[in-house]
Amino acid sequence: MTDRKERQREMYRAADPAEGPLTTDQGVAVDHTDDSLTVGERGPTLMEDFHFREKLMHFDHERIPERVVHARGAGAYGYFEPYESCAEFTRAAFLQDPSVSTPVFVRFSTVQGPRGSSDTVRDVRGFATKFYTSEGNYDLVGNNMPVFFIQDGIKFPDFVHALKPEPQNEIPTGASAHDTLWDFVSLQPETMHMMMWLMSDRAIPRSFRMMQGFGVHTFRFVDARGRGTFVKFHWKPKLGVHSLVWDEAQECQGRDADFNRRDLWQAIEAGEYPEYELGVQLVPEEDEFTFDFDLLDATKIIPEEQVPVRPIGHMVLNRNPENFFAETEQVAFHTGNVVPGIDFTNDPLLQARNFSYLDTQLIRLGGPNFAQLPVNQPVAPVRTNQRDGYHQSAIHSGTSYSPNSLGGGCPAIAGPDGYAFSHYAERVDGAKIRKRSESFKDFYSQAALFWNSMSDWERRHIVDAFRFELGKVGAVEVRERTVGELAHIDQTLATAVAEGIGVAPPAPVNTEHKPVASPALSLENLRGDGSIRTRQIAVLVTDGVDTEQLTQAQEALSAQGAVVEALADHDGKVRGADGNGYAVDRALPTVASVLYDAVLLPGGPTGTPELRSDETAMRFVRDAYRHGKAIGALGSGVGILSALEPEGLHIASGHGHVCADRGVVTDATTGTASEEFTRTFTEAIAAHRHWDRPRLPTC
Ligand code: HDD
């Protein structure tokens, strides 16, 4: 791993602790760090104990303020490569040559919760990428949803104050289901489009590796001649876009608060590198006004059917950070970090961000020298006249002003060779006013477009999410006002939500939305490459299991890149029907169905394995079924499913050996993991979830 960023990081690695004794910060060797220096065995501690004082002083100052939003995150290094030269529309050096690989650092995050909150909350996910290009750092600071809550950044403090836990008691942590957020939303109709995304399954991604990313704003590409092209950025995960179910996401918060963070870490450690394709939607400058929305309005998408997404490159994340604090916590993203060939537009949200990100690092990272931190340092050479300040770690020599003669005029400004950043020469004139453009005032059409584009199950989940969130809101007038807003999007939606939260259905609104849909918005159409790579499959085993059948199934699934784990009621080994021990990967009480994508129930020659009397195992299977996960059962393992039939679980019956119904794949007769069984079970796992099952009662 020797890209330029990696070589640079090498210079900052702390001395190898294995190569010498413990020392003080001053490098003095320490032979005793367990007892402070005292007068006698029971006397007072001495001030002169410099090791004790230094150790505690440092500990007392270990924390820095967490990010005001996006406090909880996980990061990884990797690289980006363009597919071909993009010179036709941008002169950005990192987008010119497919043989040039650019190092990147990506940080994924949730927005509302603090650093220690759970991963699987209903929230937007941040998707911020720092490209260490040969022309300086370029930051694409995006989210996993293509629109934003507000149109003008001056509303950001209001929005965040409403979203964050309530000020009197700091409740709720990592959740949007509370009065102040919905109060704000119900009074600020521009939020409605984004609220539809937030109530959809996009807000509970299965994995950071299985979610899209969006630059959100319309940016500007600029070519070598200075010609501009509007551009929207899209990241598309190779594994497809997949989500959790809300019930599952909530349980997961307790079972594994680090669910998404762990998933990213483990995939990279296992060499299953997350990969995303970068695509762009390009709009020529002269077409700026050809849309029925404003390109500068960050609450709008450009439907992909109107302007297709053109793939221009791909990113692979292949290295975990070595130190969470030094890298993931101290990374400082900034929308203002652009390189020649990429520029801004007058989107008022983006303009505000261009101030806020630089400003926030001063308090968070304690001074103006944060660009010198290893994770933030460009690989391009840095020559500035900026000097001094907290945490200055460079030793500058010579003059620090321009123009100068005493320093030989250095650093000289860039010459006319085209390498310097030059701002896009957009002509602007007008009066100074505080007024939202009329072109920003359609708040509902695209919210309706989103709703129209959803499949039936996605709609069900959206209605359930609104009911859950508003059901937690105490103020009845806020509930009523919100359904009143939903009526501007769709009357059926508004009525269904109203019915669930005990308020009267709102009066019909004459919406006049075009009855159009954008298939690209539905998760149905974003399933990825259909593989089951990295999917976590639980195999429930017990004494008497058919080890030959089990090994066969495990090998077939592992060969496709799935992670197969044998779970039993105890750790260690179970005794197979052949008398041999079979290794257990985890004890059932330490895990739960919500941590897996699918479950396999092998059989045993002596009858149904005794899992039916194990309530933990039965709950495991019941939850997998309720959450729409693929379930496979072989031989007498099918009996475990039969035991759940009285509760409503449905097993297909048929003439062949392998039967499949809505992701439940069984072969009761052959008892081997045949090719047909493996293929059918694999397809069921690759489909991710099976939504049209009968609902089991919740236990
Ligand atoms: Fe922001 C962090 C994404 C609007 C102000 N934002 C932050 C992060 C992401 C985003 C991914 C975390 C970066 C990291 O991992 O360190 N933010 C967005 C997107 C937006 C957006 C996609 C709309 C399109 N943000 C936005 C506005 C403002 C901010 C309108 C202020 C006017 N955002 C911030 C911030 C943060 C931040 C307060 C907190 C920590 C940080 O910047 O470094 O400045």
Side-chain angles (χ1 to χ4, degrees):
M1 239 24 88
T2 53
D3 68 26
R4 288 179 75 182
K5 189 65 193 172
E6 195 54 26
R7 289 196 292 279
Q8 187 188 61
R9 283 170 82 210
E10 201 56 57
M11 300 188 301
Y12 291 95
R13 288 215 168 87
D16 184 347
E19 284 188 357
L22 181 74
T23 73
T24 66
D25 281 351
Q26 308 305 319
V28 176
V30 170
D31 67 351
H32 194 146
T33 191
D34 293 343
D35 296 292
S36 14
L37 188 69
T38 54
V39 182
E41 282 182 8
R42 302 180 62 252
T45 304
L46 291 172
M47 278 288 281
E48 73 181 59
D49 186 351
F50 55 84
H51 173 52
F52 157 85
R53 287 209 320 269
E54 179 192 79
K55 189 173 171 182
L56 278 166
M57 173 279 294
H58 200 280
F59 170 76
D60 290 344
H61 298 271
E62 274 176 10
R63 295 289 173 272
I64 61 169
E66 64 176 32
R67 289 167 175 80
V68 58
V69 283
H70 296 266
R72 180 173 180 78
Y77 287 97
Y79 61 88
F80 172 83
E81 285 162 352
Y83 293 145
E84 57 187 359
S85 170
C86 300
E88 192 193 327
F89 35 82
T90 175
R91 68 188 180 105
F94 77 105
L95 294 175
Q96 304 300 314
D97 182 351
S99 69
V100 173
S101 178
T102 298
V104 297
F105 183 81
V106 174
R107 183 172 178 273
F108 302 107
S109 47
T110 50
V111 178
Q112 198 261 14
R115 266 191 68 180
S117 49
S118 286
D119 276 349
T120 60
V121 295
R122 176 175 295 284
D123 202 349
V124 183
R125 299 297 184 284
F127 189 140
T129 309
K130 192 179 281 292
F131 298 80
Y132 303 97
T133 89
S134 60
E135 295 177 311
N137 286 354
Y138 168 53
D139 291 356
L140 181 55
V141 196
N143 280 339
N144 74 330
M145 298 178 192
V147 287
F148 200 64
F149 297 93
I150 46 168
Q151 297 173 320
D152 187 323
I154 197 171
K155 297 299 300 165
F156 193 67
D158 299 301
F159 163 65
V160 174
H161 288 171
L163 170 73
K164 280 277 181 176
E166 305 211 354
Q168 68 281 17
N169 52 16
E170 221 183 47
I171 297 174
T173 298
S176 46
H178 62 118
D179 283 48
T180 54
L181 176 72
W182 289 94
D183 185 29
F184 178 84
V185 162
S186 65
L187 295 166
Q188 194 79 39
E190 71 205 50
T191 57
M192 288 324 283
H193 185 193
M194 181 63 161
M195 290 314 286
M196 294 296 289
W197 283 82
L198 190 65
M199 293 303 108
S200 79
D201 289 357
R202 302 279 190 141
I204 38 174
R206 157 67 181 83
S207 161
F208 293 138
R209 305 176 293 122
M210 299 172 197
M211 64 182 203
Q212 279 175 295
F214 301 91
V216 179
H217 308 281
T218 305
F219 292 90
R220 200 176 242 123
F221 269 156
V222 184
D223 73 8
R225 290 171 299 139
R227 187 182 57 109
T229 305
F230 293 114
V231 56
K232 283 210 185 250
F233 293 103
H234 296 241
W235 289 114
K236 201 169 180 179
K238 196 175 159 202
L239 295 173
V241 185
H242 303 293
S243 291
L244 303 174
V245 190
W246 181 226
D247 178 71
E248 175 192 20
Q250 289 177 87
E251 191 188 329
C252 207
Q253 289 178 30
R255 294 280 183 181
D256 185 4
D258 306 304
F259 184 72
N260 291 142
R261 180 185 278 194
R262 189 187 308 280
D263 167 274
L264 178 69
W265 180 273
Q266 286 181 341
I268 294 175
E269 289 299 296
E272 289 286 353
Y273 301 137
E275 188 173 341
Y276 308 81
E277 183 163 77
L278 182 65
V280 289
Q281 285 179 296
L282 298 170
V283 177
E285 291 271 339
E286 55 275 20
D287 291 348
E288 180 172 6
F289 299 107
T290 55
F291 300 92
D292 53 7
F293 54 88
D294 198 320
L295 283 183
L296 304 185
D297 175 358
T299 67
K300 303 295 184 298
I301 56 163
I302 308 179
E304 289 184 32
E305 294 72 19
Q306 227 167 322
V307 178
V309 177
R310 171 171 170 170
I312 60 167
H314 78 139
M315 174 170 77
V316 175
L317 301 180
N318 59 1
R319 264 137 49 227
N320 277 316
E322 280 166 54
N323 185 290
F324 186 92
F325 179 83
E327 307 183 275
T328 310
E329 191 59 18
Q330 293 202 111
V331 66
F333 290 97
H334 177 26
T335 49
N337 289 349
V338 286
V339 288
I342 302 182
D343 212 326
F344 315 113
T345 58
N346 294 329
D347 171 345
L349 197 75
L350 175 59
Q351 299 274 326
R353 294 180 76 191
N354 285 344
F355 165 73
S356 195
Y357 288 74
L358 196 58
D359 185 49
T360 200
Q361 314 306 347
L362 294 178
I363 182 83
R364 202 169 72 76
L365 298 169
N369 289 310
F370 53 85
Q372 294 179 11
L373 291 165
V375 68
N376 295 325
Q377 215 177 90
V379 295
V382 174
R383 297 177 207 94
T384 79
N385 284 327
Q386 269 83 266
R387 291 290 186 274
D388 309 344
Y390 285 113
H391 318 307
Q392 176 60 260
S393 59
I395 304 172
H396 295 102
S397 54
T399 56
S400 55
Y401 54 89
S402 178
N404 71 68
S405 67
L406 300 179
C410 299
I413 56 164
D417 53 11
Y419 289 116
F421 188 93
S422 63
H423 290 268
Y424 179 73
E426 184 179 9
R427 188 182 168 80
V428 185
D429 66 286
K432 290 187 217 164
I433 46 168
R434 270 191 207 281
K435 187 174 180 296
R436 196 74 57 89
S437 166
E438 286 303 314
S439 57
F440 278 44
K441 295 212 171 139
D442 171 7
F443 305 131
Y444 306 111
S445 299
Q446 287 210 350
L449 174 75
F450 185 73
W451 175 250
N452 292 342
S453 310
M454 296 292 103
S455 59
D456 286 347
W457 61 265
E458 286 173 299
R459 286 185 180 194
R460 274 202 311 273
H461 291 183
I462 290 172
V463 170
D464 287 349
F466 271 113
R467 286 177 166 193
F468 178 93
E469 297 269 314
L470 289 166
K472 297 259 185 188
V473 168
V476 176
E477 68 273 20
V478 171
R479 295 185 183 201
E480 287 169 346
R481 235 180 4 241
T482 308
V483 291
E485 283 300 308
L486 294 180
H488 288 269
I489 300 170
D490 186 274
Q491 191 65 32
T492 336
L493 165 67
T495 307
V497 174
E499 278 167 4
I501 58 167
V503 302
V509 177
N510 186 8
T511 56
E512 291 175 3
H513 301 309
K514 291 185 198 139
V516 283
S518 168
L521 300 180
S522 169
L523 292 176
E524 282 282 352
N525 303 318
L526 294 166
R527 294 206 165 154
D529 61 9
S531 85
I532 60 164
R533 291 207 79 75
T534 75
R535 290 312 185 116
Q536 308 280 324
I537 301 169
V539 188
L540 305 195
V541 296
T542 185
D543 287 338
V545 69
D546 180 341
T547 40
E548 194 185 326
Q549 176 202 79
L550 178 57
T551 310
Q552 209 180 19
Q554 186 169 24
E555 282 174 0
L557 294 166
S558 303
Q560 298 177 72
V563 180
V564 185
E565 291 190 342
L567 314 180
D569 65 350
H570 58 82
D571 238 321
K573 285 188 174 174
V574 291
R575 178 178 287 276
D578 56 3
N580 291 326
Y582 189 87
V584 172
D585 294 298
R586 289 175 209 284
L588 260 171
T590 66
V591 290
S593 159
V594 294
L595 308 179
Y596 293 87
D597 294 295
V599 54
L600 177 65
L601 305 166
T606 54
T608 307
E610 278 320 306
L611 282 173
R612 281 187 302 187
S613 55
D614 180 342
E615 190 35 47
T616 315
M618 294 311 280
R619 179 177 170 189
F620 198 104
V621 180
R622 200 182 280 120
D623 281 351
Y625 189 81
R626 286 196 306 119
H627 297 148
K629 297 176 183 176
I631 301 177
L634 284 167
S636 59
V638 179
I640 298 165
L641 294 180
S642 311
L644 292 172
E645 276 186 306
E647 293 181 32
L649 184 144
H650 191 261
I651 312 172
S653 50
H655 299 302
H657 295 301
V658 177
C659 302
D661 179 30
R662 290 169 284 192
V664 179
V665 183
T666 52
D667 183 346
T669 49
T670 32
T672 57
S674 64
E675 219 172 275
E676 189 191 353
F677 175 85
T678 310
R679 182 174 31 77
T680 318
F681 187 41
T682 301
E683 282 165 8
I685 301 169
H688 185 61
R689 296 298 162 96
H690 302 269
W691 304 112
D692 44 358
R693 286 179 183 163
R695 283 194 181 193
L696 289 194
T698 19
C699 44

